[in-house]
Structures are given as structure tokens and as C-alpha cells.
Amino acid sequence: MNKSIHLTIDGKPVEAKHGQTIMQAADAAGIYIPRLCSHPDLRPIGSCRVCTVIVDGRPQAACVKPAMDGMVIENDTPELLQHRRNIIDMMFVEGNHFCMFCEKSGNCELQAMAYRFGITAPQYPFQFPEKAVDASHPDIMLDHNRCIMCARCVRASQELDGKNVFQAIGRGFHRKIGVDGEKALADTDMAVGDRSADVCPVGCIIKKRIGFRTAIGRRLYDRQPIGSDIEANATP
Amino acid sequence: MSVGTKKITIEPVTRVEGHGKVTILLDAQGQVSQARLHIVEFRGFERFIQGRPYWEVPVLVQRLCGICPVSHHLAAAKAMDGIVGVDRLTPTAEKIRRLMHYGQVFQSHALHFFHLVSPDLLFGFDADPALRNVIGVANRFPELAVQGVMMRKFGQEIIKATAGKKIHGTGAVPGGVNKNLSVAERDPFLKDIDQMLVWCRAALQIAKTYTLEHLAELADFGSFASNHVALVRPDGAMDLYHGNLRAIDSEGNKIFDQVDYQGYFNYIAEEVKPWSYMKFPFISKLGPETGWYRVGPLARVNACDFIDTPEAEAARQEFKALTHGKPNNITMAYHWARMIELLHAGEKIRELLNDPDLQGTDLVTRGERRGESVGLIEAPRGTLFHHYKVDKNDQVTMANLIVSTTHNNTPMNLAVTGVAKKYLSGAVITEGLLNRVEVAIRAYDPCLSCATHALGRMPLSVELKDCTGQIIDKKVAG
């Protein structure tokens, strides 16, 4: 069982440990597989499908697929790039993402992903859905306009905070993040120090009154493109 | 339809920011009865920022405009200072914001003078439109054109260094700023500022000489006696960033003075007219008929007691000497006043760059939360009002914006009427009339996208209408 796993990603030999997912093995090898719902501290759920790779000819979500010996994995191919672009595009048009005045701008994983993929404008028509803003909590604001249904908050609340503040409710296009069902955030036991307040990849769950405190040029993705921290681990 | 009643429309108006249309109404005798500058765009920012969190507003609302977003950014930030209970910023925060603002005034005034106005002044109102434009200036006066570009760049770079971006930055946050100015960021500006001041002096000279040499014509060119409103410091000095409201009449008598702008609505009211999306503000106690006023460079130079930078103050005294200390009511004197302010902004930038407070690290303060606040600033085009109410959940429930161009609404209409009365002959829109209507509007440097919170560049159309509303001629400029 301790024998190492050997696989290739885009032709590059990668060594993985038992129990690692493809994404974990790739991260350790300095190969970035784009992702949005995945978070290192949370159980993976393979929801957003941005991390889709081709494993032995079949599409698989790298965040949940265990690494296995002999796998031949494709990650950086024109077809997969287009597939990921399409998913990111759909996320933009299915919400109301106004980066120009969003306080998450520069620190937003969705925006950073769009920059990484060279998306300057969506190819699909904007849906302009009607979404609510829940500002009832004294320290946290929930702006559903910017939610991408990654469910990180759902998992963080349950797995890290030991609470059950968020749940996914509804189906299909009408699916949304519920707060204790249909409550307001102020009616829950959520606190500003909860991990669920930290894991949102976009500007949906934000801490109040600190927006725009980081100057342009000093924000996370002003300094480096998303994924470059992982790529820095690459061996020559 | 009755016979002999006519209407002229000029659309679009060129070399102003936004989109406008002028209608000239003729009476039964074919004489000009009234001219109207229509603002035909609508955006509704005041409505759709409702529900947004207050700290987002300075970044959101500046999207009204790509020309002077810094003014909206700062006016909103000043209002939000009040919401977070801050009446006095840290020295670093106040000076960074001031630097940002003077950079904005500097680039905006330079853009307007060199790129939009100089063709009229250098070639004359009747010059061929093919020549009378910024390309014509670049060909005939290449040094001047380059100066305009370099001065605009200087101001824009200051905005970038303080706000993070040249357009639509994020530097001002409720209660302060999000960055200071490092020595490394400051030094390139210190290297260039003296050259900028040389060019400011030269531009001021052009505007002054032009006004004095054409005084007879300009005195009667869309000019009229008016009230003037501006912010002034408690000691009466011009202050483009902060102060109290002062209103004077055309003779210089004070209508009100040192009014805390938090209560502006007790002194200024707005009227709506069916033919424009732009409202018509007036001084409440005088009423809409006589209470309208001008804002912007002319009003500011007229209203202040002095300017606290030496070269601009000397220029102000020369300006005031022409009218023996009384307010100057010549519409085209806006250009001279604007260049006095350009020099003032340059002097202020030099003063600030040499101030070590810009390298301070105490950036944000907080006080006791309030539910309502007003922020005012002297934007390049005039006094800009932002008024907000914020609920206990931190969401905006009410916003009222009165922008510079809106204050100048009645004056612009009067200027156009005056020009039309003097230069319209017959029922045809001549090139000369079209040009002069544009020149009169342009003196106010209107930003019509701002004024209606509307989008787009401003081409102008002019329609000539008879008194039944029938269009009898139409011409489009641009």
C-alpha cells in the first residue's frame, strides 16, 4: 500500500501518494488545475466542473477523482480550456457580477479565473436574474447577485464551524444558497469569525465596512495570476 | 399650424461631454423667443444605488462619468465620512484626497482648454470646422497640443498614484484613504511640476489675452448678470476640496454665506421641466425665476475673497480688476477663470508634494455612525452635491445628486438664447450660428452625461421650430 503512484499529466510524470486526489497530486507537482468550488480545507464535491480533466480518455473532476497508478491525464489542452471558459462564462451571465464596483475585485477567484482565461466579455447573453441582498447581520452581508453556487459556505459552516447556517435549496436555475432555510442571516448563529465568512471565492459573503481597504495594485490577484502560487512549486 | 412660427434644433453639440440637443423656438414674427438645451439621456443612478452598502457607493457612483469620476468618488466619500461619524480625516488622508482632487482638476481643465476650447480661441468661431478642432491645433500649434497632452497625463498620473487607477479608482474609503504616497511614487511628480507650472502660466496668458482682446464681442456673447455659488473656506479663500457654501448676486452682494452644506436643502431647491431630464436648481429664498445661479470656475473666482496660492491670487486680482472688484458676468470669461484655477491646482500640487504628511501611515478614522450625510466638493465644472441616507443595515435608502452641469442649466439656456437672438437670421441654421451656440455651451464645460447621470459622448443637434412645434430646420454638428 505504501508503493507510490505514478501517473502523467500532459505527458509530465507525476508521483502521488495513496489517498490523494488528482488535484492534490497535481498541486504538489506544481501543475495548476483551475478550480472554483474546491477549497483545501473543505471536503471536495466536484460541483463546479472547472477542474475537469481527461483521465484515460474520459472527463473527470480532478478535485474528487483519486489518483491511481498509470493514469494518463490531460489538463492543459485547447478543448479543456474551452470547456472551462464556457463554464466561467455561464457563471458570469447567470449572476449579476459587476466587477467595476465589487469590493471583491482583485481578490475574486471568479474574476481572476476570467483574467487567466483571457475572457474580456461573456459569449452568452446576460440573464440579469433578480437576486436578493441580505444585509440584516450586523457584521456580514450576503449578496446573492454574486453567488456562483460553489457551496463552500455550506461545507465550511458544517465541517469547520460546527453550524448549519447555509444550505443549497431549489433546483436548476432556481437553485440558491438558503440561510437556515429561508431565514435572514441575522436570525442565525453565524459570527464574523466563522470560517464560512472567509471561504467565499466571490463577493457574495462579505464582511461589512472593510471593503476597498486594500489599494489597487496590492490586492491578491493584482500581484500574481490565480494559480501561480501552485505553479511556483513546479520542478524544472 | 400657424404661418411664420419656427423652430431650430442643433444636435449633436460637439466638443462637450455627453449628448445634447438645442431647440430654438421662434415667434410668429420669426424672432427668437426661447432657446432650450435639452438633456435627453437618463440613467437613474439615484435609484439603483438604493440597497447597496454605503462603503460601496464612492466606487459605484463614480461610474456616472469617465471624465471626472474622481469628483464623484470624493463627494461620495465625503458623504460617507459623515455616515461613519468622521468630521475630520487624518492629515495624511485629507492631503492624499486633496492631491487626488487637484490632479483631477488639473487634468480636466487642461483637457478642456487645450483639446476642446483652444480651436475656437486660436482659429476664431467662424473658422472652417475642418480646421477648428484639436487636429487643427496639433498641426498649426504643435507645441501647445503637446503641452495639453502632457499636462493631462501629469494630472492622470497623480490620480493613478492616489486612487490606484487613472479612471475609476478606489483610493477614498469612508473615513479616509486606502494608501499614502510613497517617496518613490512622489519623486517623478516633483521632477515635472515646475515644467507644468510654466505651461499653466502660458495657458493662463492665452486665455487672458484672448478675453481682453475680444472684450467688446465677448461682453455681449451669451453674457448676462447672474448669481454665483461656490464653496469657500471659513476665511473666504477659494477651496476646491472643502468649505462652506457662499452665494453672491451679480453685484457681489452675499445672498448667503458660510452655510454648512449638511443643510444645503434649506437654501437650494430644484425645479423639473417637461422637456429635459436635467433639473433646474435655484436659491430657495429667491425662487426659480431669479434664484438660478452659475457654478464652476467663473463662480468660484467671483465668489472667493482670495486664493491662497500666490500666482493664482495675482491672476485673480487682475481678473477682478477688469470689473473693478465686482463679479465678472461674461460667459466667455469662464475660460480665463478656468486657467486661473489650473495654475492654482498646479501650485497646490507642488505644495502637497513637498508635504511629508503624504507619506504618513494613519489612513482611516471612525466615529459614531449616522443615518444621513451630505458630501460637497468643487468639481472641475462646479459644485457637486451628494446626499445619502443609510439604514441600520448599512444599506443606502436615499440618494440625491446635484451635479455641476445641473446648476448651470438655466445659465446655459440663457447663453444659448442670447447667442441665438444675436446671430440667427432668417429661418436657416447657418454654420456661424451653429458654431456660436456650441461655443457658448462649451464655455460651461458641461458634462451632460453627469448631469442626467447619463451615458455617452455628447454630439449636439440644433432644431429650429416654429411656435406650433413644427421643425423647420435641423442641423447636426460633429
Side-chain angles (χ1 to χ4, degrees), chain B residues 459-475:
Chain B
L460 175 71
S461 76
V462 175
E463 280 179 1
L464 185 62
K465 279 187 184 174
D466 62 28
C467 63
T468 64
Q470 179 75 20
I471 298 173
I472 55 170
D473 195 13
K474 180 169 177 167
K475 201 152 196 171

Side-chain angles (χ1 to χ4, degrees), chain A residues 53-120:
Chain A
V53 291
I54 303 296
V55 182
D56 299 331
R58 298 180 63 183
Q60 303 279 355
C63 69
V64 289
K65 182 72 178 173
M68 293 167 72
D69 205 36
M71 277 180 166
V72 176
I73 298 166
E74 296 169 55
N75 173 43
D76 193 7
T77 69
E79 292 77 17
L80 283 171
L81 287 178
Q82 189 55 48
H83 163 79
R84 289 165 183 159
R85 266 197 204 108
N86 292 347
I87 293 174
I88 293 161
D89 253 4
M90 284 189 271
M91 287 179 179
F92 272 104
V93 301
E94 285 186 350
N96 297 308
H97 297 277
F98 298 107
C99 298
M100 71 289 278
F101 60 80
C102 177
E103 63 190 88
K104 192 80 172 194
S105 202
N107 294 310
C108 172
E109 293 180 39
L110 179 66
Q111 182 193 47
M113 202 67 80
Y115 278 126
R116 183 171 175 120
F117 285 102
I119 297 172
T120 50

Side-chain angles (χ1 to χ4, degrees), chain A residues 103 143 146 208 212-213, chain B residues 52 55-56 178 366 393:
Chain A
E103 63 190 88
D143 187 344
R146 301 165 181 164
K208 284 184 168 184
F212 308 104
R213 287 289 187 88
Chain B
R52 299 309 307 169
W55 56 88
E56 194 177 272
N178 65 16
R366 277 282 187 269
N393 287 340

Side-chain angles (χ1 to χ4, degrees), chain A residues 1-5 16-25 44 62-69:
Chain A
M1 280 300 286
N2 291 328
K3 187 170 166 275
S4 289
I5 292 169
K17 293 176 190 154
H18 279 280
Q20 278 189 321
T21 61
I22 292 173
M23 184 180 283
Q24 286 168 331
C63 69
V64 289
K65 182 72 178 173
M68 293 167 72
D69 205 36

Side-chain angles (χ1 to χ4, degrees), chain B residues 270-319:
Chain B
E270 291 179 281
E271 187 185 27
V272 176
K273 296 190 180 177
W275 45 269
S276 178
Y277 279 125
M278 193 154 76
K279 291 186 269 193
F280 290 77
F282 58 92
I283 296 165
S284 312
K285 75 173 181 186
L286 299 179
E289 288 303 313
T290 59
W292 52 272
Y293 51 87
R294 290 193 262 204
V295 298
L298 183 69
R300 291 190 288 244
V301 174
N302 278 334
C304 72
D305 298 329
F306 68 100
I307 299 176
D308 69 345
T309 55
E311 293 189 58
E313 170 58 11
R316 186 196 69 89
Q317 289 181 11
E318 265 189 287
F319 182 90

